[in-house]
Amino acid sequence: MANGEGSAPPAQFGVVGLGVMGQNLALNVAEHGFPVAVWNRETDWVERFLRANSAKLLAGARTLEEFVRVLVRPRRILLMITAGEPVEAMIGRLAPLLEREDVIVDGGNSWFKDTQRREVELRGRELLFVGCGVSGGEEGARFGPSLMPGGAPAAYESLRPVLEAIAAQTDSGRCVTYIGPDGAGHFVKMVHNGIEYADMQLIAEAYDFLKRALGLEARELGDTFAAWNRGPLESFLIELTAKIFAVRDEETGLPLVDCVLDRAGQKGTGKWTAQVALDLAVPVPTINAALDARLLSAMKAERVAASASIAGPRSTRARGDKSKWIAAVHDALYAAKICSYAQGMNLIRAGSETYDWHINLREMARIWKGGCIIRARFLDEIMRAFDESPEFANLMLDRQFRLTLRQCQPAWRRVAGTAQRLGIPVPAMAASLAYFDSYRAAQLPHNLTQAQRDAFGAHTYQRADHPERGFVHTDWLKKGA
């Protein structure tokens, strides 16, 4: 199934799975001068793909055996198939056909612990395995994604020429780097997606406030987000949001966004981020709030019924100058965003320390500057922060972020407080504010929590004035009597 006329050049890269992402990545690789072999379980998909791209450096195969034979050694094979059992089954079929130092790359959103296990198993067979996060959707895959590969250094070196060629390019370089051993790449992609959940939820809350509290219509909303995209909030998601408000529904003439059912889906990586954060004892309240908000959005029938029987504030309109409110929402969104990225970076750090990955956090900000969904001007500030102080405990401690949070704080509190007073839910914005206030508090009320635990369960506690005494127990009920 060679493409074009004559014999096809030897394939230097292979792609298994011709869904939208697989097709676009195959084209991206081929257009950068690497002949690509493709295989799909349904062979008619391969034939259609080759016909549609007859001038490209592409070759197809009818069987996996034929696919493996046309690849030069060491073979480099990218799997773009559904995570979970399909990946497991494909590795089981491919591995016996491969030879020492051939590389299998899982480019899906696989659970990082599955990636760790697979890397060990394939290493035992003298094969190399890479779990590679791929972000940017179909456009990114076609023209330059952000890539997060984890595995053995030798595997990355084998893949480096291809990955660096196809990755997005920014003023800070190609949006790819070696993340770390075994599951590091899929772990970072998981956290990236958790931050993406938080970003999208914060933007949705800003939109909700602007629409309900200030009465902004679609055109004004589009203009507002377009203006924000020319400042510190400049990002793919803000730009995309501005464009969404400009689209009209052909059927009704209304803004199309107003015709979209308010029920958000999810594919699991946000849930994994929250679960892993609990396992590693890292607080990620903004990400958790974003996840909860999507779960609540899915309860559409219950919410509609509740809206008819549970009363809230009579008015949802904010008083005061509209332009000042818009500026306040901008600052609240930016401050909350800083907190969500701080949470994500801390989770990556904790994962790196737990699994001995040695992840460079500055590099994570760098490779997210282009190609991926959370690409933003803001990432330059994160890079600068890590350049100045690579070991600080939290992004909020960086000198510039401290100043920004101090400047944004009055507007942030005003927006969050007013939203709650008006009954407009801002769970992620409020969670970021609570995270900020908790982190900066020298004294939290958990002395009472620990006293309660000791009183009902003899869980012991430490004295604030004599921590050197270790953990002690008091019979609180007897003393109280």
Side-chain angles (χ1 to χ4, degrees):
M1 244 195 273
N3 211 5
E5 299 181 357
S7 60
Q12 298 179 28
F13 197 80
V15 176
V16 171
L18 288 177
V20 171
M21 291 292 287
Q23 289 186 34
N24 284 347
L25 284 165
L27 291 170
N28 191 348
V29 174
E31 288 180 356
H32 282 89
F34 300 92
V36 178
V38 297
W39 182 86
N40 198 80
R41 186 174 58 183
E42 298 86 2
T43 56
D44 58 319
W45 286 38
V46 178
E47 292 166 355
R48 285 199 304 270
F49 179 61
L50 295 181
R51 283 198 305 269
N53 299 282
S54 58
K56 308 293 185 185
L57 293 171
L58 298 168
R62 291 182 175 84
T63 67
L64 272 181
E65 289 79 6
E66 180 186 349
F67 171 75
V68 168
R69 281 198 303 271
V70 300
L71 287 165
V72 299
R73 294 201 59 212
R75 300 175 181 92
R76 298 171 291 188
I77 299 171
L78 172 64
L79 308 183
M80 290 306 299
I81 58 180
T82 305
E85 184 53 38
V87 171
E88 200 74 26
M90 182 52 60
I91 291 172
R93 292 181 63 186
L94 260 180
L97 306 176
L98 302 180
E99 299 173 81
R100 185 174 180 270
E101 295 185 356
D102 286 351
V103 185
I104 299 175
V105 184
D106 176 8
N109 282 330
S110 288
W111 174 234
F112 79 96
K113 290 192 176 180
D114 284 342
T115 304
Q116 289 178 307
R117 172 180 53 79
R118 291 164 183 158
E119 196 273 337
V120 170
E121 291 172 355
L122 290 171
R123 192 191 325 148
R125 303 171 72 161
E126 297 188 294
L127 299 175
L128 299 172
F129 184 70
V130 169
C132 184
V134 180
S135 181
E138 58 183 281
E139 182 180 355
R142 185 67 180 83
F143 301 109
S146 174
L147 299 170
M148 294 153 257
Y156 178 69
E157 288 306 315
S158 179
L159 296 167
R160 183 200 289 267
V162 176
L163 299 186
E164 290 187 347
I166 69 170
Q169 174 76 50
T170 73
D171 58 1
S172 297
R174 289 287 179 180
C175 294
V176 61
T177 192
Y178 175 63
I179 304 296
D182 54 74
H186 275 148
F187 186 95
V188 166
K189 177 55 163 56
M190 174 193 72
V191 178
H192 163 284
N193 285 17
I195 295 171
E196 179 185 310
Y197 272 51
D199 249 3
M200 294 175 71
Q201 178 62 28
L202 289 168
I203 291 170
E205 291 173 15
Y207 149 68
D208 201 23
F209 189 94
L210 294 171
K211 182 179 181 181
R212 294 171 63 187
L214 304 183
L216 269 61
E217 301 292 342
R219 182 187 57 77
E220 293 175 291
L221 288 163
D223 290 345
T224 296
F225 278 91
W228 287 357
N229 197 49
R230 294 189 290 271
L233 283 175
E234 179 188 341
S235 65
F236 168 74
L237 284 171
I238 293 290
E239 178 186 11
L240 179 68
T241 303
K243 291 178 178 179
I244 283 172
F245 289 121
V247 178
R248 290 273 168 177
D249 177 37
E250 293 181 1
E251 185 176 336
T252 65
L254 296 171
L256 183 56
V257 68
D258 291 342
C259 302
V260 176
L261 187 67
D262 58 327
R263 185 165 59 197
Q266 56 179 308
K267 292 188 176 179
T269 45
K271 179 179 71 175
W272 289 348
T273 306
Q275 290 173 334
V276 171
L278 285 173
D279 291 340
L280 298 181
V282 178
V284 291
T286 312
I287 295 170
N288 288 337
L291 181 62
D292 286 342
R294 291 200 189 188
L295 296 174
L296 276 162
S297 80
M299 299 164 60
K300 176 65 175 179
E302 285 186 57
R303 290 189 291 109
V304 170
S307 69
S309 59
I310 302 176
R314 292 184 179 180
S315 173
T316 60
R317 288 301 176 94
R319 298 174 182 172
D321 184 272
K322 184 183 292 187
S323 63
K324 290 182 179 179
W325 271 116
I326 292 172
V329 175
H330 171 282
D331 288 355
L333 176 56
Y334 191 41
K337 182 184 178 84
I338 292 171
C339 291
S340 70
Y341 275 74
Q343 294 161 33
M345 286 296 183
N346 279 1
L347 183 53
I348 292 175
R349 176 188 282 124
S352 180
E353 292 173 352
T354 299
Y355 298 106
D356 199 27
W357 286 330
H358 303 284
I359 295 174
N360 184 326
L361 295 178
R362 180 199 183 274
E363 277 288 273
M364 300 309 96
R366 186 189 68 77
I367 65 171
W368 291 345
K369 282 185 60 178
C372 71
I373 304 303
I374 63 172
R375 58 187 184 266
R377 180 197 293 191
F378 168 73
L379 291 161
D380 280 319
E381 282 299 300
I382 296 181
M383 289 173 61
R384 176 204 50 75
F386 282 117
D387 279 336
E388 293 182 6
S389 183
E391 301 303 324
F392 57 63
N394 192 295
L395 273 179
M396 295 188 296
L397 296 174
D398 167 69
R399 59 172 182 82
Q400 185 57 50
F401 285 134
R402 288 202 315 270
L403 177 61
T404 299
L405 288 168
R406 187 170 68 200
Q407 292 171 338
C408 291
Q409 208 176 139
W412 191 9
R413 295 187 188 282
R414 185 183 179 207
V415 171
T418 301
Q420 291 173 340
R421 180 173 57 81
L422 297 177
I424 300 173
V426 286
M429 196 174 290
S432 278
L433 184 54
Y435 176 77
F436 170 77
D437 282 336
S438 295
Y439 191 76
R440 67 178 188 82
Q443 179 72 31
L444 289 170
H446 296 86
N447 53 322
L448 175 59
T449 302
Q450 196 62 17
Q452 290 171 330
R453 294 181 72 243
D454 189 46
F456 67 65
H459 292 292
T460 72
Y461 63 94
Q462 290 176 283
R463 291 186 61 94
D465 53 349
H466 290 292
E468 74 281 356
R469 294 180 184 175
F471 288 89
V472 298
H473 169 61
T474 294
D475 188 340
W476 297 84
L477 302 183
K478 182 178 179 181
K479 283 185 175 292

